[in-house]
Amino acid sequence: MSESDFVSYYVTVKGRVQGVGYRAWCAAEAESRGLSGWIRNRRDGFVEAIYYGRADRVKEMVALSEEGPELARIDRILAHPCDPPDVAGFVTRPTY
């Protein structure tokens, strides 16, 4: 597998995504796919994340982010390529 088989995506999610376990759910899903990156709440009500790993797994994670856990409601999701994260593994960051 070459470096070109790996991608990094920055994702922002709007809807009922705070206070419903969305971050923990995304972190568990990302970890189960072997992805690196981070996720955090923003004060404006959005959740933002960076997912890095094999292209097929990142694509799958972005698609899952549109669904979320049972109590979440996703109104809008934006995803675009970005630089790889500056962390090893997948972490939950404090609200920004």
mmCIF file of all heavy atoms in Angstrom, residues 58-68 77:
data_model
loop_
_atom_site.group_PDB
_atom_site.id
_atom_site.type_symbol
_atom_site.label_atom_id
_atom_site.label_comp_id
_atom_site.label_asym_id
_atom_site.label_seq_id
_atom_site.Cartn_x
_atom_site.Cartn_y
_atom_site.Cartn_z
ATOM 1 N N VAL A 58 -11.803 5.960 5.038
ATOM 2 C CA VAL A 58 -12.162 7.360 5.284
ATOM 3 C C VAL A 58 -13.483 7.680 4.590
ATOM 4 O O VAL A 58 -14.372 8.310 5.174
ATOM 5 C CB VAL A 58 -11.043 8.323 4.841
ATOM 6 C CG1 VAL A 58 -11.512 9.767 4.873
ATOM 7 C CG2 VAL A 58 -9.808 8.139 5.716
ATOM 8 N N LYS A 59 -13.629 7.220 3.354
ATOM 9 C CA LYS A 59 -14.886 7.442 2.624
ATOM 10 C C LYS A 59 -16.059 6.830 3.381
ATOM 11 O O LYS A 59 -17.131 7.439 3.511
ATOM 12 C CB LYS A 59 -14.771 6.842 1.224
ATOM 13 C CG LYS A 59 -15.983 7.058 0.367
ATOM 14 C CD LYS A 59 -15.795 6.473 -1.021
ATOM 15 C CE LYS A 59 -17.041 6.680 -1.866
ATOM 16 N NZ LYS A 59 -16.895 6.132 -3.213
ATOM 17 N N GLU A 60 -15.866 5.630 3.899
ATOM 18 C CA GLU A 60 -16.905 4.970 4.685
ATOM 19 C C GLU A 60 -17.225 5.772 5.943
ATOM 20 O O GLU A 60 -18.398 5.937 6.309
ATOM 21 C CB GLU A 60 -16.430 3.562 5.048
ATOM 22 C CG GLU A 60 -17.416 2.757 5.841
ATOM 23 C CD GLU A 60 -16.898 1.367 6.176
ATOM 24 O OE1 GLU A 60 -15.690 1.097 6.037
ATOM 25 O OE2 GLU A 60 -17.725 0.553 6.602
ATOM 26 N N MET A 61 -16.199 6.320 6.606
ATOM 27 C CA MET A 61 -16.411 7.092 7.825
ATOM 28 C C MET A 61 -17.165 8.384 7.544
ATOM 29 O O MET A 61 -18.044 8.777 8.319
ATOM 30 C CB MET A 61 -15.065 7.378 8.504
ATOM 31 C CG MET A 61 -15.198 7.974 9.877
ATOM 32 S SD MET A 61 -16.008 6.832 11.023
ATOM 33 C CE MET A 61 -17.008 7.993 11.954
ATOM 34 N N VAL A 62 -16.851 9.032 6.446
ATOM 35 C CA VAL A 62 -17.576 10.255 6.078
ATOM 36 C C VAL A 62 -19.051 9.925 5.846
ATOM 37 O O VAL A 62 -19.944 10.640 6.313
ATOM 38 C CB VAL A 62 -16.938 10.932 4.851
ATOM 39 C CG1 VAL A 62 -17.815 12.064 4.340
ATOM 40 C CG2 VAL A 62 -15.539 11.459 5.204
ATOM 41 N N ALA A 63 -19.320 8.821 5.162
ATOM 42 C CA ALA A 63 -20.709 8.410 4.928
ATOM 43 C C ALA A 63 -21.414 8.096 6.253
ATOM 44 O O ALA A 63 -22.565 8.489 6.457
ATOM 45 C CB ALA A 63 -20.757 7.205 3.996
ATOM 46 N N LEU A 64 -20.732 7.419 7.164
ATOM 47 C CA LEU A 64 -21.324 7.116 8.470
ATOM 48 C C LEU A 64 -21.596 8.379 9.264
ATOM 49 O O LEU A 64 -22.571 8.446 10.022
ATOM 50 C CB LEU A 64 -20.394 6.201 9.274
ATOM 51 C CG LEU A 64 -20.385 4.737 8.889
ATOM 52 C CD1 LEU A 64 -19.280 4.010 9.639
ATOM 53 C CD2 LEU A 64 -21.734 4.109 9.200
ATOM 54 N N SER A 65 -20.756 9.397 9.099
ATOM 55 C CA SER A 65 -20.925 10.665 9.809
ATOM 56 C C SER A 65 -22.228 11.343 9.422
ATOM 57 O O SER A 65 -22.758 12.163 10.174
ATOM 58 C CB SER A 65 -19.743 11.606 9.529
ATOM 59 O OG SER A 65 -18.541 11.051 10.024
ATOM 60 N N GLU A 66 -22.743 11.014 8.254
ATOM 61 C CA GLU A 66 -24.027 11.565 7.810
ATOM 62 C C GLU A 66 -25.201 10.912 8.527
ATOM 63 O O GLU A 66 -26.304 11.454 8.515
ATOM 64 C CB GLU A 66 -24.195 11.376 6.304
ATOM 65 C CG GLU A 66 -23.219 12.180 5.483
ATOM 66 C CD GLU A 66 -23.465 12.027 3.992
ATOM 67 O OE1 GLU A 66 -24.617 12.220 3.567
ATOM 68 O OE2 GLU A 66 -22.509 11.710 3.277
ATOM 69 N N GLU A 67 -24.980 9.771 9.134
ATOM 70 C CA GLU A 67 -26.027 9.052 9.848
ATOM 71 C C GLU A 67 -25.959 9.322 11.347
ATOM 72 O O GLU A 67 -26.944 9.702 11.952
ATOM 73 C CB GLU A 67 -25.913 7.553 9.593
ATOM 74 C CG GLU A 67 -26.066 7.174 8.136
ATOM 75 C CD GLU A 67 -25.747 5.715 7.896
ATOM 76 O OE1 GLU A 67 -25.822 4.919 8.856
ATOM 77 O OE2 GLU A 67 -25.428 5.376 6.760
ATOM 78 N N GLY A 68 -24.795 9.091 11.940
ATOM 79 C CA GLY A 68 -24.616 9.293 13.369
ATOM 80 C C GLY A 68 -25.351 8.269 14.206
ATOM 81 O O GLY A 68 -26.009 7.363 13.679
ATOM 82 N N ILE A 77 -23.724 18.176 6.258
ATOM 83 C CA ILE A 77 -22.339 17.739 6.447
ATOM 84 C C ILE A 77 -21.518 18.248 5.273
ATOM 85 O O ILE A 77 -21.963 18.198 4.124
ATOM 86 C CB ILE A 77 -22.240 16.202 6.598
ATOM 87 C CG1 ILE A 77 -20.806 15.786 6.917
ATOM 88 C CG2 ILE A 77 -22.787 15.493 5.389
ATOM 89 C CD1 ILE A 77 -20.668 14.338 7.345
#
